[in-house]
């Protein structure tokens, strides 16, 4: 009986959230856009004959035509294929980096909030140290040391992005752990781990979803920034950032916009839509949430 | 205030050691050692061994770290692989341009952030409010380098109002008007990338403060709306904005790397990228040490300003 009641309460919380989210038109539209985009970058290479790597001899820097939908780049590769494959890389880097940050940050925040004392001090001081590092500079050094590759880019972005998750989890946990149901769990002999992961964490998750969406957007931006400096995902692998990199030459910038404008536009659209989804999620979960 | 300062500086000590240890570990990960540059063809393995001992590279890591820290305090960051000159000198000539760029950008970002934030909070759904949210979305979602390319295309190539990059048209004259012209685009772009956060923070803390008792009290006393807004509400609303500004400084440094690279601005960011292409590790580590220390000092200053603004923090 009690179990049914509990499930009902939980269901209505999430159902409420979904209903509120669906009323947020911009967020819904963004979600639709992002879904279509992700499906497109996954499915298009299976459905169409796309080749992002072959350098077509004699077709250097060609304007868009029937054969090359978005033209070719300066070594004769099909820009449209690179846009699709680049999307796979950029979006994957975004999600994997954000996931890595969450996996590091959430347990640390949980430990700091639950135990307090010395553990709290050490962890939160570590957060301070990481937050006062200029992340971009450290990322550049790390990429130089590790060697540029999609994997190292994900690693360095993820490794430096966990502080947001840790702080947020910490602030949520210190209020949740005082709730009666946690006290009840403690009184009935639940171990520390059980209290943390079965009672406290699930009730602290809401703002972390919002943080995750902003984290994905920020990771995609960081990847594009690193790739734009020529220190992110290395060519010939395509990413949106290293496609825009070609526009560092003034003649490409002015005379061959098809090489960089589509990649830039889709990058902006993606990041904006993820941010809008985050906004919608925040408003649906708790409009007063400060994120 | 003295007690607060002391406490704040004491907190900085573990942060400083944490940072320097991380940087030291990073610099040990970089390939090549300082000895490599000194080895000549006629050296025997024993000579090289002796060189290692003389440089202290045979010592355990924690001793090496302390010595490295000692050299750091004496201002010695080693010699550049690329130019062969002292790293401090190579960095020294880049500090001025970077400070000029980041300082201007920060000033623009704060001015725009406060103006738009206050306007958006006082007149919701007005043109200002929409402009404020537009600007903060551009700041949050459009990568600086992409916007920079669009700006260069519009203002430098098509309209030809501004130069495409660099710091001087003619390096020998160093005309200030000319520098200002070169500075305008990168500073505005870097400012835009920063201002979104300031706008949102100003707006939300203004809205919060406007509901406070002392604001109602001031209005009830019949004060003019302007006085209420600026001398009662805004002063208190600025506190969280000051925190936000302090916390955003590391991002300012990162943004400067990209902006300087796009515009060929001769600062520390473009030096960093150049040094990475040359694998010039002493300079890379030097820039890293320099920027992290600068960020730390700025954070300390921001905390002091914060304590001056808000007496509650001091106690």
């Amino acid at each position: 009986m009690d179990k049914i009641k509990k499930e009902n309460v939980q269901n209505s919380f999430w159902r409420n959230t979904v209903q509120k989210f669906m009323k947020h038109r911009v967020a819904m539209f963004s979600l639709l856009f992002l879904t279509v985009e992700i499906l497109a970058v996954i499915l298009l290479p299976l459905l169409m004959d796309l080749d992002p790597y072959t350098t077509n001899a004699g077709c250097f820097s060609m304007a868009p035509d029937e054969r090359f939908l978005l033209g070719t780049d300066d070594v004769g590769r099909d820009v449209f294929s690179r846009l699709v494959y680049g999307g796979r890389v950029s979006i994957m880097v975004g999600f994997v980096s954000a996931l890595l940050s969450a996996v590091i940050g959430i347990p640390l925040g949980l430990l700091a909030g639950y135990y307090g004392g010395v553990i709290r001090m050490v962890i939160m001081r570590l957060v301070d140290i990481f937050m006062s590092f200029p992340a971009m500079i450290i990322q550049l050094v790390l990429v130089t040391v590790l060697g540029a590759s999609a994997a190292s880019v994900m690693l360095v972005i993820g490794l430096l992005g966990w502080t947001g998750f840790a702080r947020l989890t910490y602030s949520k946990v210190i209020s949740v752990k005082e709730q009666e149901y946690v006290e009840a769990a403690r009184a009935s002999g639940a171990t520390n781990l059980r209290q943390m992961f079965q009672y406290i964490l699930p009730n602290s998750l809401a703002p972390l979803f919002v943080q995750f969406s902003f984290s994905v957007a920020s990771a995609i931006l960081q990847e594009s920034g690193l790739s734009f400096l020529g220190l992110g995902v290395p060519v010939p692998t395509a990413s949106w950032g290293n496609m825009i990199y070609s526009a560092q030459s003034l003649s490409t910038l002015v005379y061959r916009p098809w090489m960089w404008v589509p990649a830039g536009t889709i990058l902006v659209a993606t990041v904006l839509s993820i941010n809008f989804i985050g906004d919608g999620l925040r408003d649906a979960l708790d409009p007063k949430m400060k994120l | 205030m003295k007690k607060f300062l002391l406490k704040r500086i004491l907190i900085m000590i573990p942060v400083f050691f944490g940072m320097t240890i991380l940087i030291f570990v990073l610099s040990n990960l970089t390939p090549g050692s300082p000895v490599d540059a000194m080895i000549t063809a006629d050296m025997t393995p024993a000579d090289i061994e002796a060189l290692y001992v003389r440089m202290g590279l045979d010592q355990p890591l924690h001793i090496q770290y302390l010595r490295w820290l000692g050299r750091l305090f004496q201002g010695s960051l080693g010699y550049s692989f690329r130019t062969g000159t002292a790293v401090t000198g190579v960095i020294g000539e880049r500090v001025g341009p970077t400070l000029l760029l980041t300082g201007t950008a920060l000033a623009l970002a704060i001015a725009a952030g406060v103006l738009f934030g206050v306007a958006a909070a006082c007149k919701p759904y007005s043109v200002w409010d929409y402009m404020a949210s537009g600007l903060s979305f551009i700041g949050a979602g459009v990568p600086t380098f992409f916007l920079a390319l669009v700006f260069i295309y519009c203002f430098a190539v098509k309209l030809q109002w501004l130069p495409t990059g660099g710091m001087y048209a003619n390096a020998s004259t160093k005309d200030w008007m000319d520098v200002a012209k070169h500075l305008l685009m990168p500073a505005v772009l870097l400012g835009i990338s920063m201002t979104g956060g300031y706008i949102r923070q100003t707006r939300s803390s203004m809205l919060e403060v406007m509901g406070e008792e002392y604001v109602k009290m001031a209005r009830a006393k019949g004060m003019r709306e302007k006085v209420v807004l600026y001398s009662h509400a805004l002063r208190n609303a600025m506190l969280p904005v000051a925190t936000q500004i302090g916390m955003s400084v590391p991002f300012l440094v990162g943004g400067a790397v990209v902006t300087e690279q796009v515009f060929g601005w001769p600062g520390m960011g473009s030096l960093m990228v150049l040094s990475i292409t040359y694998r010039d590790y002493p300079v890379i580590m030097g820039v890293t040490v320099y920027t992290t220390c600068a960020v730390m000092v700025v954070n300390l200053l921001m905390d002091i300003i914060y304590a001056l603004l808000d007496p509650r923090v001091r106690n």
Side-chain angles (χ1 to χ4, degrees):
Chain A
M1 178 68 192
D2 270 359
K3 205 181 168 196
I4 298 169
K5 211 173 178 182
K6 189 185 158 202
E7 269 173 13
N8 275 343
V9 172
Q10 268 188 351
N11 276 346
S12 72
F13 171 71
W14 290 109
R15 197 180 306 141
N16 253 335
T17 307
V18 171
Q19 275 170 359
K20 276 195 217 153
F21 184 83
M22 280 167 67
K23 276 192 200 141
H24 200 302
R25 285 218 191 123
V26 184
M28 274 310 281
F29 182 76
S30 301
L31 187 64
L32 187 73
F33 171 78
L34 198 70
T35 314
V36 171
E37 185 183 59
I38 290 175
L39 285 178
V41 298
I42 293 173
L43 297 178
L44 277 184
L46 306 175
L47 301 174
M48 288 169 70
D49 182 24
L50 294 177
D51 181 0
Y53 299 116
T54 304
T55 52
N56 297 289
C59 303
F60 303 140
S61 309
M62 283 200 348
D65 59 16
E66 299 89 51
R67 196 172 148 216
F68 302 109
L69 269 178
L70 286 172
T72 62
D73 67 6
D74 48 356
V75 288
R77 291 176 297 212
D78 179 30
V79 171
F80 181 73
S81 305
R82 292 187 71 73
L83 200 64
V84 174
Y85 276 85
R88 284 181 159 192
V89 173
S90 291
I91 294 172
M92 189 177 69
V93 168
F95 276 92
V96 174
S97 310
L99 206 60
L100 183 60
S101 297
V103 166
I104 300 171
I106 293 174
L108 284 176
L110 195 55
L111 283 176
Y114 184 77
Y115 287 109
V118 181
I119 296 181
R120 184 198 78 94
M121 213 204 62
V122 170
I123 292 175
M124 295 322 272
R125 198 54 69 224
L126 209 61
V127 169
D128 284 348
I129 293 173
F130 270 82
M131 282 187 68
S132 45
F133 266 130
M136 180 85 177
I137 302 273
I138 305 296
Q139 282 167 353
L140 289 175
V141 177
L142 275 174
V143 168
T144 319
V145 174
L146 295 171
S149 71
S152 64
V153 168
M154 287 183 228
L155 194 69
V156 301
I157 296 173
L159 280 181
L160 285 157
W162 58 274
T163 51
F165 284 102
R167 274 163 60 108
L168 200 61
T169 314
Y170 168 75
S171 66
K172 193 76 188 157
V173 165
I174 49 174
S175 68
V176 170
K177 78 168 177 184
E178 304 297 336
Q179 303 283 324
E180 276 105 5
Y181 53 81
V182 180
E183 214 165 297
R186 189 161 34 226
S188 55
T191 57
N192 286 335
L193 269 182
R194 197 177 168 85
Q195 283 177 48
M196 278 195 274
F197 285 96
Q198 191 170 358
Y199 295 94
I200 298 176
L201 187 59
N203 288 294
S204 313
L205 276 182
L208 294 172
F209 279 115
V210 182
Q211 171 74 22
F212 183 78
S213 66
F214 289 138
S215 243
V216 172
S218 144
I220 291 177
L221 277 181
Q222 290 177 56
E223 181 275 321
S224 70
L226 285 172
S227 295
F228 177 73
L229 292 174
L231 297 161
V233 177
V235 281
T237 308
S239 87
W240 291 334
N242 69 26
M243 290 177 75
I244 306 171
Y245 173 70
S246 66
Q248 277 203 357
S249 104
L250 208 55
S251 63
T252 301
L253 177 73
V254 179
Y255 301 111
R256 293 183 281 280
W258 63 87
M259 284 188 204
W260 62 279
V261 173
T265 316
I266 197 90
L267 174 68
V268 170
T270 308
V271 171
L272 278 181
S273 65
I274 298 174
N275 279 335
F276 282 130
I277 293 171
D279 278 345
L281 211 52
R282 176 190 53 201
D283 291 350
L285 286 165
D286 176 9
K288 279 188 289 185
M289 191 190 295
K290 278 187 180 155
L291 252 178
Chain B
M1 189 68 196
K2 252 187 198 159
K3 212 174 148 195
F4 167 80
L5 262 182
L6 199 70
K7 209 173 129 195
R8 183 60 189 74
I9 290 171
L10 282 178
I11 290 177
M12 230 171 101
I13 293 171
V15 175
F16 176 79
F17 279 104
M19 280 213 238
T20 47
I21 287 171
L22 271 174
I23 293 173
F24 177 73
V25 170
L26 275 180
S27 67
N28 263 301
L29 288 175
T30 57
S33 77
V35 171
D36 296 350
M38 299 178 189
I39 295 173
T40 50
D42 55 334
M43 275 182 166
T44 62
D47 289 338
I48 296 172
E49 193 63 34
L51 204 55
Y52 266 93
V53 175
R54 213 181 73 207
M55 299 282 293
L57 293 171
D58 58 332
Q59 302 286 330
L61 269 182
H62 61 277
I63 302 287
Q64 283 194 38
Y65 164 71
L66 289 177
R67 288 192 175 167
W68 177 78
L69 206 60
R71 284 199 299 275
L72 202 67
F73 275 118
Q74 289 162 10
S76 163
L77 295 166
Y79 295 90
S80 161
F81 291 167
R82 184 172 58 91
T83 60
T85 51
V87 169
T88 36
V90 177
I91 293 177
E93 60 194 43
R94 302 290 192 126
V95 174
T98 291
L99 284 180
L100 180 64
L101 174 63
T102 48
T104 316
L106 193 61
L108 288 174
I110 295 172
V114 172
L115 273 176
F116 280 104
V118 170
C122 298
K123 293 183 183 126
Y125 307 109
S126 67
V127 183
W128 288 98
D129 192 11
Y130 287 118
M131 271 171 74
S133 21
L135 204 58
S136 71
F137 267 118
I138 291 174
V142 184
T144 315
F145 58 86
F146 182 66
L147 204 58
L149 293 175
V150 176
F151 268 46
I152 292 176
Y153 186 83
C154 295
F155 299 114
V157 177
K158 287 289 155 192
L159 296 170
Q160 304 211 326
W161 288 346
L162 294 163
T164 54
M167 192 168 166
Y168 311 103
N170 181 353
S172 55
T173 54
K174 301 207 172 173
D175 171 22
W176 280 107
M177 266 315 287
D178 182 42
V179 173
K181 253 184 170 174
H182 284 82
L183 177 65
L184 188 60
M185 254 198 310
V188 166
L189 281 159
L190 191 54
I192 289 177
S193 73
M194 307 291 296
T195 203
Y198 304 160
I199 294 177
R200 277 193 300 273
Q201 185 67 61
T202 311
R203 183 174 175 276
S204 72
S205 58
M206 265 309 261
L207 285 174
E208 209 173 305
V209 168
M210 299 287 267
E212 296 277 346
E213 294 296 326
Y214 56 80
V215 172
K216 283 183 203 155
M217 177 71 190
R219 283 208 178 115
K221 279 195 296 189
M223 284 186 150
R224 273 180 300 130
E225 187 62 23
K226 270 206 173 129
V227 180
V228 174
L229 264 187
Y230 292 105
S231 79
H232 288 78
L234 183 60
R235 264 175 78 173
N236 290 294
M238 280 307 284
L239 291 171
V241 181
T243 316
Q244 166 98 24
I245 292 168
M247 276 170 48
S248 67
V249 170
F251 295 97
L252 181 68
V253 174
V257 176
V258 175
T259 317
E260 286 181 7
Q261 182 64 14
V262 183
F263 287 97
W265 187 259
M268 288 176 43
S270 50
L271 175 68
M272 181 81 180
V273 178
L274 181 74
S275 306
I276 288 174
T277 26
Y278 278 94
R279 302 270 175 243
D280 191 351
Y281 293 111
V283 178
I284 298 174
M285 295 325 295
V287 173
T288 311
V289 170
Y290 199 96
T291 46
T292 33
C293 288
V295 167
M296 219 160 67
V297 171
V298 171
N299 277 338
L300 177 69
L301 288 178
M302 285 310 295
D303 277 2
I304 294 174
I305 293 174
Y306 196 73
L308 287 174
L309 287 173
D310 187 352
R312 283 170 301 185
V313 179
R314 276 177 246 163
N315 304 312

